[in-house]
Every structure is written in C-alpha cells, then in structure tokens.
Amino acid sequence: MALVQKKRLGDILLMAEKITPSQLQSALKTQKILGKKLGEVLIESGIVSEEDIIDAIEAQTGIKKIDLNNINFDKKAIKIVPQNLCNKYNLIAFGFEEDKVLVAMSDPLNIFAIDDISISTGLAVKTFIAPKKDIDKFVKINYSSEGVNKAAEELSKETLEAKTISVDVEEVDDVKNAPVVKMIEYLFKNSIEMRASDIHIEPFEKEIRIRYRIDGELTTINTLGIESLAPLITRIKILANLNIAEKRIPQDGRIITKIGNTDVDLRVSILPTVNGEKVVIRILNRDNYKVGKEYLGLTKENLKKLNNIISNPHGIVLVTGPTGSGKSTTLYTVLSELNSSNVNIITVEDPVEYTLDGINQVNVNTKAGLTFASGLRSILRQDPDIIMIGEIRDEETAQIAIKAAITGHLVLSTLHTNDAPSSITRLVDMGVEPYLVASSVVGVIAQRLVRKICQYCKEEYEASEYERKTLTGSSNGTLKLYKGKGCGHCNGTGYIGRIGVYEIMEVTREHRDIINKTRDSDILKDISIKHGMTTLEDECKKLVLNGTTTMQELATITLLGDI
C-alpha cells in the first residue's frame, strides 16, 4: 500500500507517457482554479480518457481494473460500507477475500477513502479500479435494493412487536422516518433504478410477495411477513388519495411525484383478494417517454406503410395487440406526428397516460357516466379533425367511431386481437355491418414487444437443426445466432430493453371487396401478404437473424413450442 500512497496521478500518467510535462502543468493550474480533481480536469480537457487513466494506474501500481458488470455483488459487503462513503469517494464494495473487503474505486490512490472504509468496516481493504459511471450505476441499484431490504426488516419487526396492528393515519403520513414510509420510498426508488414498468404487492396466507415487471417479465424482489400488509396498503392509499377504510371493493388512484431527478406518474390499482388487498402500481416514467417514429423500431417498409395510412384525411386506423404490447406508445407517436396548429385533435382515454401539448385529452370517468361512447358523442360536437379513442370495447363505441370516420374524421383506436386481419372480424362480430367496416377502416397495425439482447454480454452460438429450420426453412448448413449470457448491466437476464415487432395491413380495394363478401381473416391475411404485409412472425425472425433478439422471444409471439 505504501507504493500506492507515494505515487500521484500526474506522476503515474507521465511514467505511462499518457501526458506530457507541459500538459500536466497546465492541468494543475486549471485544477487550482476550478477546485476539481486532476483526473477530472484531464478528461474534461480531452487530454486523456478515463480508460487511459485506468490503464496507466493498473500498469504503474498493480491495482487491477475490474468490470463490475460481470460481478455478483455480495450483499454483506454492501451492508457494511455506508452509502454516504460510496457517494463521497465514488466507490462500491463487492465482496471479501480472507480478512479483506474488496472495493472498486474510480480513484484507488485516495488514501483517505481507503482509511475511512477500513475504520467503518474494521477490515483491511483491497482496492480495484473501475469506471466512475459503472460505480455510480451499481451504487444506485444495490443501495436502493438494500434500502428496500432494511426498510422491510424494520417494518416486519415493528408490526411483529405490536400486539395488534393498528395504523395511525396521521402518524404514518407525518413521520418521515416511519418504517412503512421508508419502505414505500425505497420501493419506488429501487423500481426506477431497475427500469421496472410495474410494482406488484401480492398478499398470500403467510407472506407478502413484492415483484417488479422489468422488460415485460416479473421478477421477485422481496417477501415480507403478512403482518406488514395493513400499514403498507394504508400508506399507499394515503399517497394515492384513496379511501383507507374501504377494503371490500377495488380502488384506483394516482401518485404524481419526483423520485431523485425523475418525474414519475404512478397509477395505483387495489384489488381485494382472499388474503387481503393486492396492489399493482404502473410506473409511467415521464423522463423516459420519447415521442418519435425512430424509437418504435419500424423497418423502412413498415414506416412507409404507416405514413401512407396516417396520411388519409379520414377513416379508422386501428392498433391491435395484447395488454403491454406498446399500443399506447404507438398511438401517442402517431398523434405527435399529426399534431399541428391547423388541426383539432381530441382524445378519450382510460386513463390519460401522457399529456401532449396542443392536444385536448379527456379522461374516461365511468362513475360520472363519462364512457368511451358518451365521450365520443360529446367530442364530435367539438369540431374535431382527428379523434383518438383509447379502446373500442363494445358495439356502441364501434358504431360511433365508424360513423365519425365516414363523416370525414380520422379516428385512431385500439383493439385486442392476435393479428391485423382479425381486427376486421372483431368489428363485424361486435355488430358493425361489413360494408361500414369496409368503407371506414384504412389500416391496421398489429404489434408485440420483444426483449433485446444485452449488448454487454451478447455471445454467438451455433443454431440447432430445429432453429435453422424454423428461421430459414432448411435444416442444412450452419447458422450463427446470438444470446445474452447475463451480466450486471442486464441484472443477469441477458436482455436490456424491448423493441416493437409490427404487422401493418393497408386496406386496399381488394380488401374491401372481400370484407363485403366474407369476414374470413385467413383470406384477408393472404391478400395483405400479397400486397406486401410482413407478418409478426416473419418480422421477429428477422430480428433473431440480425442478432437483436433470441429464439426464446420469437416463441413468445408464435406457436413454436418449446425452444
């Protein structure tokens, strides 16, 4: 350690020939003026990169660099090093070696940081060097997760010690250090750090299970004793302005808050079950919401088809797919594309997920009698050019939407169908006359979301005979495919983020003739393919072949069986 203490960063970089003496002198002068670290000054001025500094320190001191993305963090190491030290010195502990704690630092030459860790833990310190951004990332993830665990322990302990569970509403709402308050605070923070779209709080006979939905998959985060359910639900109800005394009927609410530097809109749904009230919180991260066709993942061909469809002055454009397939994102993107000062756009939604400037958005309120159908009737008297209906759920809404399209309005809406051609059949099944469907529908967009392979742990493998036959139609030859092996970036899943898969059906004169004669979706599908439509399955196959996603994800949108 003495060797490390005697060497300074400037000397190390000079010895490694990463900088010249004149560059060092100039940087030292700037450092005195700005009060920053020498490394920061050198990186910001473009003289060296962070990777240059890391390589120089490793070569000159023997301190090894480490990739935190490939590390399984030891929770005990996280517990014994306080977060305030991690934030102060930009470091994170990740494990143990004999009587030493292993610590990754962006500045392993900082002897004051090493001394503070040693005093705090009572252990000797073995240092490693890692990029600042990686340390920041894993401090956020691990300490927000640790915060959830600690708050959960405190909450369980508090409720177990109480002879009876009684929640003082004012006390819970006012005392910021109450275990239940900290539990909810850390739960929200941790869900943002882990890129979750939903939080599930599920009561069972003896425990409460907390799960996050990340990239479409549910992952268990924690379990609590069932005795913690009452204070947990009460706190959530307070935040969402719900009735804390009502436990027999479902309730829906909303929490608008700021978590760290992130603006979030939390939609709360509470459902009574046999074991208590279950809570699902949908996280609408306003900072992550991007409006623009470039974010949808459309191919050039599909982008051209979409532009053709939405350029119609009137008619119905349908977006179809199961819940969670990205239909709302597509609709908002199209609305943003159509939004201008010379058109009047009005929406009826349940609920309004994101507010868009220049667009009049209406929330459905069934208790007050404001349904999709009644709202649609009202907005037709508001001189709209473009109408968006959150979902066509019944014949009444479908009939009004059809009439609006025929009378010169462009109508956008969603349906729950498996593919694009089936949407025509669904409208007819709802009671709409085939000739009205034929004359009003101008295009249907069916979509799914598939997970993208993590680029940090992506690896190549030889496709099996079954995979070759599925993707290419031939089991002969060789084929290279890709998968993620799991790393710190993707929380060990092998995937980061999702991408849309689309099937876009432009309604032509040939389609209209068939709709008037029959409602057979297979015939409509064949006609659409003849006119250039690519099916969901074929689109996803392309993504598998180009290394964007995996065969497992292809299986989620097709009937391939076990992969």
Side-chain angles (χ1 to χ4, degrees), residues 215-448:
D215 292 334
E217 298 289 318
L218 281 170
T219 303
T220 300
I221 299 300
N222 211 314
T223 55
L224 302 173
I226 192 64
E227 66 279 350
S228 300
L229 184 65
L232 205 59
I233 299 297
T234 300
R235 177 60 182 168
I236 292 170
K237 285 182 176 179
I238 290 168
L239 292 172
N241 293 316
L242 299 176
N243 184 352
I244 63 169
E246 182 55 75
K247 300 180 181 179
R248 300 164 298 172
I249 61 173
Q251 295 190 68
D252 295 315
R254 183 180 185 184
I255 305 169
I256 299 175
T257 186
K258 195 176 186 74
I259 300 174
N261 296 319
T262 305
D263 290 315
V264 291
D265 190 345
L266 306 172
R267 303 296 170 88
V268 179
S269 174
I270 297 180
L271 180 72
T273 70
V274 292
N275 294 308
E277 292 176 287
K278 176 188 174 182
V279 180
V280 174
I281 302 172
R282 168 64 60 88
I283 303 168
L284 302 175
N285 189 336
R286 296 179 178 182
D287 289 355
N288 282 350
Y289 183 64
K290 297 175 180 176
V291 177
K293 288 182 290 189
E294 64 272 19
Y295 296 110
L296 294 178
L298 289 159
T299 61
K300 288 182 180 179
E301 294 80 9
N302 279 337
L303 185 57
K304 184 179 178 181
K305 290 175 190 171
L306 177 63
N307 287 333
N308 289 340
I309 290 171
I310 65 175
S311 64
N312 281 281
H314 53 79
I316 293 182
V317 178
L318 294 171
V319 183
T320 78
T323 301
S325 60
K327 298 188 299 295
S328 295
T329 301
T330 300
L331 281 176
Y332 280 122
T333 301
V334 171
L335 283 177
S336 298
E337 189 80 14
L338 297 171
N339 188 16
S340 65
S341 59
N342 62 343
V343 294
N344 179 20
I345 302 177
I346 307 179
T347 75
V348 185
E349 305 171 62
D350 184 21
V352 173
E353 293 191 20
Y354 297 99
T355 55
L356 301 175
D357 289 338
I359 294 177
N360 305 286
Q361 295 171 270
V362 178
N363 246 327
V364 165
N365 188 338
T366 51
K367 291 180 182 177
L370 178 55
T371 62
F372 280 120
S374 62
L376 186 51
R377 280 197 202 92
S378 297
I379 65 177
L380 283 171
R381 294 190 287 271
Q382 290 283 317
D383 186 31
D385 297 297
I386 299 169
I387 300 165
M388 195 269 270
I389 312 164
E391 184 183 345
I392 296 178
R393 296 176 180 171
D394 51 50
E395 181 185 353
E396 186 181 12
T397 307
Q399 293 282 10
I400 300 169
I402 294 284
K403 289 174 183 176
I406 291 173
T407 55
H409 302 89
L410 183 62
V411 180
L412 310 175
S413 191
T414 69
L415 274 179
H416 289 279
T417 60
N418 291 327
D419 59 13
S422 299
S423 301
I424 304 298
T425 308
R426 178 63 57 84
L427 288 174
V428 176
D429 288 342
M430 281 183 177
V432 181
E433 291 293 335
Y435 76 91
L436 290 174
V437 176
S439 59
S440 60
V441 178
V442 295
V444 184
I445 304 158
Q447 68 180 80
R448 298 289 190 280

Side-chain angles (χ1 to χ4, degrees), residues 159-204:
T159 49
L160 279 171
E161 288 176 351
K163 291 182 180 179
T164 58
I165 301 173
S166 61
V167 181
D168 186 326
V169 175
E170 291 185 3
E171 183 178 325
V172 168
D173 200 31
D174 292 340
V175 181
K176 300 301 181 186
N177 291 323
V180 67
V181 176
K182 288 196 288 184
M183 176 67 192
I184 296 298
E185 182 183 333
Y186 280 119
L187 199 61
F188 290 166
K189 183 180 179 183
N190 185 232
S191 65
I192 295 294
E193 300 293 351
M194 296 188 73
R195 302 178 295 104
S197 61
D198 301 85
I199 302 171
H200 289 241
I201 301 173
E202 304 164 306
F204 296 98

Side-chain angles (χ1 to χ4, degrees), residues 81-195:
V81 178
Q83 186 178 0
N84 65 315
L85 284 184
C86 296
N87 294 333
K88 182 179 180 181
Y89 296 118
N90 192 238
L91 56 85
I92 187 167
F94 60 86
F96 299 95
E97 186 181 282
E98 298 175 348
D99 60 343
K100 297 176 182 177
V101 59
L102 309 180
V103 180
M105 306 173 67
S106 61
D107 180 12
L109 307 177
N110 190 333
I111 59 174
F112 300 107
I114 296 169
D115 286 344
D116 280 356
I117 298 167
S118 184
I119 292 168
S120 176
T121 62
L123 297 171
V125 179
K126 183 175 181 179
T127 59
F128 295 80
I129 186 167
K132 185 178 186 299
K133 62 179 177 61
D134 284 356
I135 295 173
D136 285 338
K137 171 187 171 184
F138 288 106
V139 166
K140 286 179 181 177
I141 291 174
N142 284 286
Y143 281 91
S144 59
S145 297
E146 182 59 23
V148 172
N149 295 334
K150 284 183 178 178
E153 290 173 9
E154 290 177 23
L155 180 58
S156 295
K157 183 179 178 182
E158 182 185 74
T159 49
L160 279 171
E161 288 176 351
K163 291 182 180 179
T164 58
I165 301 173
S166 61
V167 181
D168 186 326
V169 175
E170 291 185 3
E171 183 178 325
V172 168
D173 200 31
D174 292 340
V175 181
K176 300 301 181 186
N177 291 323
V180 67
V181 176
K182 288 196 288 184
M183 176 67 192
I184 296 298
E185 182 183 333
Y186 280 119
L187 199 61
F188 290 166
K189 183 180 179 183
N190 185 232
S191 65
I192 295 294
E193 300 293 351
M194 296 188 73
R195 302 178 295 104

